[in-house]
């Protein structure tokens, strides 16, 4: 049961981030489901990795989005640089994953806690 709880929690966190960026359409939600299926097998093989599954699913979805749609989530820290780039998940394999700007090392938000940009 702990495995299923970890997978459902990870799914909810990644979906929350996609919704914050208003990119949670049906095709993209399918990418999340695919990542959950893939990581279910992984965590069944290594139950101690259940605490790491949220960050891994976030990375899996990010990779799938890059291949099909483009970079996500875009860094809100470096908006004036003219070089849009995606945030990274850190730690790559560890508990309590965060979205971090790879250029400035600024932690933007925990996975699941991205916020929509403020309206001006």
């Amino acid at each position: 049961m702990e495995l299923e709880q970890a997978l459902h929690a990870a799914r909810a966190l990644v979906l929350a981030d996609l919704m914050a960026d208003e990119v949670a359409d049906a095709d993209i939600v399918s990418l999340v489901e695919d990542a959950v299926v893939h990581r279910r097998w992984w965590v069944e093989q290594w139950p101690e990795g259940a605490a790491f599954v949220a960050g891994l699913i976030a990375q899996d979805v990010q990779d799938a989005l890059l291949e099909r749609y483009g970079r996500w989530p875009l860094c809100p820290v470096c908006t004036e640089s003219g070089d849009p780039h995606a945030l990274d998940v850190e730690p790559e394999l560890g508990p309590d994953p965060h979205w971090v700007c790879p250029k400035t090392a600024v932690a933007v938000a925990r996975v699941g806690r991205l916020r929509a940009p403020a309206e001006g």
Side-chain angles (χ1 to χ4, degrees):
M1 191 61 165
E2 187 175 311
L3 161 67
E4 287 302 314
Q5 288 175 334
L7 289 167
H8 287 295
R11 178 185 182 275
L13 292 172
V14 174
L15 286 174
D17 286 344
L18 290 164
M19 290 173 65
D21 275 350
E22 299 178 353
V23 294
D25 66 26
D27 290 341
I28 293 174
V29 171
S30 292
L31 297 176
V32 176
E33 298 304 331
D34 292 345
V36 170
V37 167
H38 173 74
R39 291 301 172 177
R40 177 176 280 113
W41 178 87
W42 180 85
V43 81
E44 284 172 349
Q45 305 308 305
W46 188 45
E48 295 82 14
F52 310 150
V53 78
L56 292 170
I57 290 174
Q59 290 174 58
D60 293 345
V61 170
Q62 186 179 43
D63 291 345
L65 282 169
L66 180 61
E67 290 176 16
R68 296 182 188 185
Y69 301 102
R71 287 175 252 174
W72 176 84
L74 291 179
C75 179
V77 176
C78 301
T79 56
E80 296 180 17
S81 71
D83 180 28
H85 56 274
L87 298 172
D88 289 341
V89 174
E90 290 186 13
E92 287 186 29
L93 184 62
D96 195 25
H98 282 70
W99 293 110
V100 176
C101 171
K103 292 186 177 192
T104 64
V106 170
V108 173
R110 286 183 167 162
V111 169
R113 301 287 184 165
L114 283 180
R115 296 287 178 239
E119 294 181 20

